[in-house]
């Protein structure tokens, strides 16, 4: 009888081992897709679940279509043709949403997020030519007359620019592209994922360890090659975008000029804010606000954060050294390394 029971137990154990092995083989796993877009910008997509055959190609094709609509570096793109002719009837699904979002955040940030600011950016030496400027107040006033997103006219079918206007969505494009790829994943039934394009991120669900996704906030006081993290944040269903003026700048005649231009004044923004990391449901929103905050500076950014119900980490320089402002909503998910949340 004991031998019979032992035999039954052994058979049961073997069956259990086979079942566990089968379930483990078919258990959801993390898959990783990487590539390049917008020139040399790297993208990374991680998702949990069964392997989706051909998804890498679909993502690449989606990003090609995205660039063919919104890249100013492609002469035949929708935005290039709009800037050339001054009018455009939409051909893709991408144009109307980015115009709407830009209008929303232009209003919420007192015009500091402005996709029409391109002529000023180029004049200050941050365009493709990289020529150091020699601007006077009269030239700046002249350039200000051809910017202002509130002067751009559009509806659900078409957009029209005032004479000599140009628009450029580079300050919102990476975040928007993150959303576009994320929505593609969700259309495939993928609920657990992380999409990152050039540092802008959107995550949903959990990672392969069944935990929230971990994202790093860079220390703006060290060189890019060192890549030291100032904080780690663990998120499930949020997007993150960071903007800063601590790397893209030049010096001329003893003055430091950062690439963040204030469209209200026409001059480079000067304040003690080093970087702004913004959290929002969609990455396009986070990206645009992060840019605007680098124009607004610390105190005005905190006012917008409160008024718009956003979460953010603002890293700034004070008389006491490097400090940070951390909004209440993000504190429970944040681990600061070197900065102190205030």
């Amino acid at each position: 009888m004991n031998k019979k029971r032992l035999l039954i137990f052994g058979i049961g154990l073997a069956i259990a081992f086979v079942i566990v092995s089968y379930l483990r083989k078919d258990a959801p796993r993390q898959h990783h897709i990487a590539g390049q877009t917008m020139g040399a910008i790297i993208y990374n997509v991680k998702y949990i679940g069964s392997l989706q055959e051909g998804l890498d190609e679909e993502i690449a094709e989606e990003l090609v279509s995205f660039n063919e609509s919104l890249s100013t570096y492609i002469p035949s793109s929708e935005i290039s043709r709009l800037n050339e002719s001054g009018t455009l009837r939409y051909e893709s699904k991408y144009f109307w949403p980015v115009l709407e979002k830009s209008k929303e955040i232009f209003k919420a940030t007192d015009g500091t997020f402005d996709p029409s600011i391109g002529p000023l950016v180029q004049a200050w030496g941050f365009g493709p030519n990289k020529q150091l400027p020699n601007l006077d107040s009269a030239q700046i006033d002249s350039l200000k007359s051809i910017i202002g997103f509130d002067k751009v006219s559009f509806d659900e079918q078409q957009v029209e620019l005032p004479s000599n206007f140009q628009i450029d969505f580079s300050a919102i494009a990476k975040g928007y592209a993150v959303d576009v790829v994320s929505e593609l994943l969700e259309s495939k039934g993928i609920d657990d994922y992380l999409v990152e394009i050039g540092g802008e991120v959107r995550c949903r669900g959990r990672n392969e360890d069944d935990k929230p996704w971990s994202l790093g906030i860079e220390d703006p006081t060290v060189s890019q090659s060192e890549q030291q993290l100032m904080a780690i944040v663990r998120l499930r269903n949020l997007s993150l975008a960071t903007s800063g003026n601590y790397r893209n700048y030049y010096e001329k005649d003893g003055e430091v000029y950062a690439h963040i231009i204030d469209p209200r004044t026409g001059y480079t923004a000067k304040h003690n804010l080093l970087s702004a990391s913004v959290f929002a449901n969609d990455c396009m929103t986070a990206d645009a606000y992060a840019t605007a905050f680098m124009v607004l500076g610390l105190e005005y950014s905190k006012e917008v954060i409160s008024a718009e119900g956003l979460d953010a980490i603002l890293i700034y320089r004070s008389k006491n050294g490097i400090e940070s402002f951390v909004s209440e909503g993000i504190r429970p998910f944040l681990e600061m390394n070197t900065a102190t949340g205030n």
Side-chain angles (χ1 to χ4, degrees):
M1 191 62 143
N2 290 336
K3 289 184 178 179
K4 185 176 181 181
R5 287 180 177 176
L6 186 62
L7 178 61
I8 292 172
F9 175 76
I11 293 172
L13 189 63
I15 292 172
F17 177 78
V18 170
I19 292 173
V20 169
S21 298
Y22 176 80
L23 290 175
R24 184 173 297 169
K25 180 180 178 182
D26 282 5
R29 295 187 297 115
Q30 179 172 290
H31 305 279
H32 182 203
I33 298 170
Q36 281 186 279
T37 186
M38 304 176 189
I41 294 177
I42 302 297
Y43 66 83
N44 289 280
V45 177
K46 297 178 182 179
Y47 67 94
I48 311 301
S50 57
L51 179 65
Q52 297 267 351
E53 297 288 349
L55 182 57
D56 54 343
E57 295 177 357
E58 288 190 62
I59 290 172
E61 290 171 1
E62 186 80 35
L63 289 171
V64 167
S65 298
F66 182 88
N67 286 324
E68 287 175 346
S69 174
L70 299 179
S71 174
T72 57
Y73 289 90
I74 300 176
S76 61
S77 70
E78 284 185 277
I79 194 168
S80 292
R81 286 183 280 121
L82 168 63
N83 286 335
E84 179 70 25
S85 67
T87 185
L88 175 75
R89 193 165 186 85
Y90 313 136
E91 301 165 4
S92 73
K93 62 182 180 181
Y94 309 108
F95 229 99
W96 164 248
V98 74
L99 286 167
E100 277 285 274
K101 181 62 67 174
S102 295
K103 179 181 179 180
E104 170 193 324
I105 299 178
F106 176 87
K107 290 181 176 179
T109 61
D110 191 30
T112 53
F113 176 78
D114 190 340
S116 71
I117 198 175
L120 272 172
V121 173
Q122 293 182 36
W124 277 109
F126 294 104
N129 296 330
K130 303 291 183 183
Q131 294 180 350
L132 296 185
N134 187 22
L135 299 178
D136 57 32
S137 59
Q139 290 172 307
I140 290 174
D141 287 342
S142 177
L143 289 168
K144 284 174 62 180
S145 70
I146 56 171
I147 69 168
F149 195 72
D150 54 332
K151 301 172 187 175
V152 176
S153 175
F154 62 90
D155 57 25
E156 295 185 33
Q157 283 79 41
Q158 61 185 10
V159 55
E160 185 174 350
L161 304 180
S163 179
N164 297 319
F165 263 56
Q166 302 272 301
I167 59 171
D168 185 339
F169 295 118
S170 58
I172 197 174
K174 286 190 295 181
Y176 187 16
V178 167
D179 290 332
V180 166
V181 173
S182 298
E183 288 161 11
L184 173 61
L185 297 181
E186 292 176 9
S187 74
K188 302 287 185 182
I190 298 172
D191 298 318
D192 302 290
Y193 64 80
L194 181 149
V195 177
E196 179 265 331
I197 300 180
E200 320 300 21
V201 184
R202 172 166 158 169
C203 56
R204 292 292 184 269
R206 293 178 175 266
N207 63 19
E208 61 181 338
D209 298 320
D210 198 32
K211 296 180 179 179
W213 298 93
S214 293
L215 308 176
I217 308 294
E218 285 191 42
D219 186 338
T221 64
V222 301
S223 65
Q224 190 169 10
S225 59
E226 295 179 28
Q227 292 185 327
Q228 181 175 313
L229 294 182
M230 180 165 275
I232 296 173
V233 62
R234 294 175 173 85
L235 301 177
R236 285 191 61 182
N237 298 311
L238 279 177
S239 299
L240 166 63
T242 298
S243 183
N245 61 12
Y246 46 92
R247 290 188 181 133
N248 191 2
Y249 66 91
Y250 63 82
E251 294 186 30
K252 182 182 179 183
D253 299 330
E255 288 283 331
V256 175
Y257 297 89
H259 78 288
I260 304 294
I261 310 297
D262 188 336
R264 300 169 301 179
T265 66
Y267 291 86
T268 58
K270 293 187 178 182
H271 47 64
N272 61 345
L273 187 58
L274 297 176
S275 73
S277 297
V278 179
F279 303 84
N281 288 328
D282 63 280
C283 202
M284 179 162 55
T285 295
D287 200 4
Y289 274 113
T291 300
F293 289 168
M294 291 310 303
V295 178
L296 286 169
L298 178 63
E299 297 305 324
Y300 286 122
S301 294
K302 290 196 293 188
E303 291 181 11
V304 174
I305 290 167
S306 177
E308 299 300 322
L310 297 168
D311 278 306
I313 302 170
L314 307 177
I315 300 173
Y316 60 96
R317 193 184 303 277
S318 76
K319 61 182 181 181
N320 299 318
I322 304 302
E323 298 188 65
S324 66
F325 162 83
V326 180
S327 62
E328 290 296 329
I330 208 66
R331 285 177 184 268
F333 312 103
L334 188 68
E335 177 184 325
M336 300 297 292
N337 289 341
T338 59
T340 302
N342 295 322

